[in-house]
Amino acid sequence: MSGEVVRAIIEAVSVDGFKPTLVGDGLHLEGHIAIDGRDVPLRITFEDLSLAEAPRLYVPDISTLRRKVVPHLEISGELCVADRRLNVFDRHRAPEQVRGLIIRARETLTRGMTRQGTAEIADEFTSYWSDTYTPLDERHVDVNLAYVTTAKVLSFEVDQDRPTTLGELVQWANHWDTALGNKIIAAFARLTAKDPMVVIRAANASVAATIRMSARAKIAETLSRQKAWGHYVRSRAGLALPIIRTEARAVDLETIFAANGEGGRAPLAGKTILLIGCGAIGGYLARMLAQLGAGLGEGKLMLVDADELEPANTRRHQLGLDDVLRRKAEACAEAIKRDFPGLTIIPQVDDAQKHAGLLAAADLVIDATGEQGLGEWLNSWWLQRHAEGKIAPALLYTWVNGLGAAAQSFLQVDATYACYRCLQPDLALPGRFDPLRTPPPAPLAGCGRQLSTPYGPAAPMMAASLAASHATDWAGGHGHHLLRTVRLDWAATVKRDPLSPSKADLCPACGGAKPAAQRATS
């Protein structure tokens, strides 16, 4: 930041009574603002003079406020008047921006002293309860914890402070729910003296209180019997025990992946999804499907691929050299289950054509091989089931066009629309919706050698992302548009809007939309 801008900021805030102090590479601007007739200290801190980040605001002495827990004032004393992740500090209007922050600080603190402040605390209660969290995984049954619930909303009134002892916790809880304090005491009494934790699940938050008895080893030893501990927590000495407040943050996959969907549920949870091909596209896609909930609950994710990972594959595969010569399906399944234990991921080292029963039992079958031959076989199998009146899964195809120039996905779920072969009725001609301007060169390989196409991981990652998005829409009942295109090389491609294509005339697979003359004689 130039000296002129520094001087301009200092001059601007001097009107509000703020004085500058250079601290290391940064700048402090310190002054006071009037809140309910009280002078409240406020410090504006530029951590460095580059203006790469917005300044931080602090209230150094919270005791000058008549409220003990203040909305938008963190435990560290930092005052949040604007989300730094969303609001960009305009370096070209720095003096006005800083003065605007002072005004926002005054408005935020003034509003926080009212009843509205209590409601604002309730909206983000865990932030005011503690600045640390305890990860909770209910599969770990050996943890010394208990749960209590309340249908009430938790917050802090103007005269309430954060509880620091068990007795203060009970008193605070009873203010919001007259039965909650007794529930908390009873929950602690059921536990042992080994650092017991009680999680309070309220309508607006889940928070925890822990009594760290390991710091009181001698007392804890005398209370090793559960009955003795139960009496102790109800005594005056027990109520004086310090507590440690933390946010109770769920770390189970159902909760984590639910944020990827709507309605508090992972999009693909409970579905049976069969992914064919664990190559460059399928390797990335398998992980994305898992993060969207495939394999959660009663659902399962099946990975079907008969091939091994070749050294050359690693140039654009999510697996690396450590997995060379391993079966792709097994290596991908192992990596996903390592990172997300508890998912049902089933590798099948074989060709998909040999397992029609597995295909029929799936809710969604995804072809990530990009192989025309397999796509043709799946299409014929699907059409035959429909012709016989049998239930058929949704089919989702995804592939890379040309030398990584584009990626497409096609969902086959409704027999009234185009089938897979309808996209290219004549294999000697370009497809009806091919995004390439000119046909791609042939892959580089001699007879018997593995085909090689000169492009990197961006294209298969894009194809995987497109398919993952399409699968999410399908699960939510929004599979249309059935054909979707993403361009990577704009010079080599033409625009293809998303659409749900109609049947092609004389499609050799489904019969297509016959010309009028043929319809009249058929």
Side-chain angles (χ1 to χ4, degrees):
M1 181 165 54
S2 70
E4 287 185 7
V5 178
V6 172
R7 286 191 292 272
I9 291 175
I10 292 172
E11 183 178 347
V13 299
S14 67
V15 176
D16 302 294
F18 281 75
K19 297 181 179 180
T21 303
L22 291 174
V23 180
D25 295 329
L27 172 67
H28 287 183
L29 301 168
E30 298 185 89
H32 291 79
I33 54 178
I35 307 295
D36 285 355
R38 304 184 183 194
D39 281 341
V40 176
L42 182 69
R43 184 175 74 241
I44 304 171
T45 299
F46 288 91
E47 295 180 350
D48 60 58
L49 301 183
S50 68
L51 281 189
E53 291 187 348
R56 296 180 182 273
L57 276 63
Y58 293 90
V59 176
D61 185 4
I62 192 175
S63 67
T64 56
L65 295 166
R66 66 182 180 87
R67 186 171 198 136
K68 297 176 181 177
V69 180
V70 181
H72 310 295
L73 184 62
E74 299 178 4
I75 294 175
S76 65
E78 183 173 357
L79 180 64
C80 178
V81 297
D83 192 326
R84 290 161 55 84
R85 298 165 298 180
L86 303 177
N87 294 273
V88 178
F89 184 77
D90 188 347
R91 64 174 61 228
H92 300 291
R93 299 180 63 247
E96 299 96 320
Q97 292 268 293
V98 176
R99 290 204 70 194
L101 289 174
I102 295 172
I103 294 171
R104 290 285 298 275
R106 185 181 298 114
E107 294 172 346
T108 299
L109 291 174
T110 300
R111 188 176 64 251
M113 298 303 106
T114 67
R115 184 69 185 174
Q116 184 179 348
T118 302
E120 291 182 359
I121 292 173
D123 289 340
E124 301 176 346
F125 181 72
T126 55
S127 299
Y128 301 99
W129 181 258
S130 175
D131 57 4
T132 60
Y133 73 92
T134 298
L136 295 179
D137 189 337
E138 294 186 10
R139 295 174 300 173
H140 299 162
V141 296
D142 57 335
V143 179
N144 189 31
L145 66 84
Y147 294 86
V148 298
T149 60
T150 176
K152 302 293 185 179
V153 171
L154 301 180
S155 187
F156 291 103
E157 298 284 16
V158 172
D159 59 342
Q160 287 181 322
D161 202 353
R162 298 176 181 88
T164 59
T165 67
L166 179 57
E168 290 175 0
L169 174 65
V170 170
Q171 184 179 18
W172 166 83
N174 282 337
H175 173 81
W176 300 100
D177 181 344
T178 55
L180 185 55
N182 285 336
K183 288 182 181 180
I184 292 171
I185 289 293
F188 272 118
R190 290 195 302 270
L191 301 174
T192 70
K194 296 181 179 179
D195 293 348
M197 175 190 299
V198 169
V199 174
I200 305 169
R201 287 172 165 165
N204 61 324
S206 288
V207 295
T210 303
I211 301 176
R212 192 57 56 81
M213 292 302 294
S214 57
R216 294 168 170 77
K218 291 184 178 180
I219 299 177
E221 186 177 350
T222 64
L223 299 172
S224 58
R225 291 187 301 109
Q226 197 274 333
K227 188 174 182 179
W229 165 251
H231 285 303
Y232 184 76
V233 294
R234 291 183 169 91
S235 69
R236 180 178 297 180
L239 293 174
L241 288 170
I243 62 168
I244 297 174
R245 300 181 312 276
T246 56
E247 175 190 351
R249 188 176 297 179
V251 296
D252 60 284
L253 294 180
E254 287 84 355
T255 301
I256 294 171
F257 292 162
N260 289 333
E262 298 178 356
R265 182 175 173 81
L268 302 182
K271 305 290 187 183
T272 296
I273 297 177
L274 190 146
L275 173 63
I276 306 172
C278 295
I281 299 174
Y284 293 110
L285 180 54
R287 177 172 291 267
M288 293 180 190
L289 295 173
Q291 291 171 308
L292 290 168
L296 271 179
E298 298 299 318
K300 55 186 174 183
L301 174 60
M302 301 191 66
L303 307 180
V304 181
D305 196 311
D307 294 338
E308 296 178 344
L309 184 73
E310 297 290 339
N313 296 150
T314 60
R315 65 192 174 92
R316 59 184 181 218
H317 203 286
Q318 63 101 6
L319 297 174
L321 292 176
D322 287 346
D323 290 311
V324 165
L325 300 184
R326 291 190 63 196
R327 300 290 187 179
K328 294 178 186 177
E330 293 177 340
C332 285
E334 181 182 301
I336 295 171
K337 288 193 286 188
R338 180 192 63 236
D339 293 340
F340 308 114
L343 295 181
T344 302
I345 314 292
I346 304 172
Q348 180 68 55
V349 180
D350 211 340
D351 294 320
Q353 303 92 305
K354 299 177 182 178
H355 297 279
L358 293 179
L359 299 177
D363 298 307
L364 174 66
V365 174
I366 305 176
D367 175 14
T369 65
E371 297 175 3
Q372 182 81 28
L374 179 62
E376 293 280 345
W377 180 86
L378 280 171
N379 184 55
S380 296
W381 172 82
W382 190 87
L383 292 171
Q384 182 65 32
R385 289 190 68 84
H386 268 274
E388 296 173 355
K390 297 178 180 178
I391 296 175
L395 286 184
L396 178 60
Y397 307 83
T398 185
W399 62 92
V400 170
N401 303 83
L403 301 182
Q408 291 185 294
S409 68
F410 173 64
L411 180 65
Q412 189 167 328
V413 71
D414 188 339
T416 62
Y417 289 89
C419 74
Y420 176 75
R421 183 58 187 267
C422 285
L423 303 182
Q424 189 179 9
D426 188 341
L427 298 183
L429 299 175
R432 295 165 64 198
F433 311 101
D434 191 337
L436 299 179
R437 292 185 183 276
T438 58
L444 304 176
C447 293
R449 294 179 58 193
Q450 186 180 28
L451 295 178
S452 176
T453 45
Y455 60 86
M461 291 176 74
M462 185 62 73
S465 299
L466 185 62
S469 176
H470 212 156
T472 300
D473 289 347
W474 160 81
H478 309 293
H480 293 264
H481 300 289
L482 299 178
L483 180 64
R484 306 177 182 189
T485 305
V486 175
R487 301 166 69 184
L488 285 86
D489 184 344
W490 285 57
T493 58
V494 296
K495 182 181 179 182
R496 291 295 185 190
D497 290 329
L499 79 162
S500 294
S502 60
K503 292 178 176 293
D505 293 343
L506 299 176
C507 170
C510 69
K514 296 180 180 179
Q518 290 195 20
R519 287 200 300 270
T521 58
S522 61

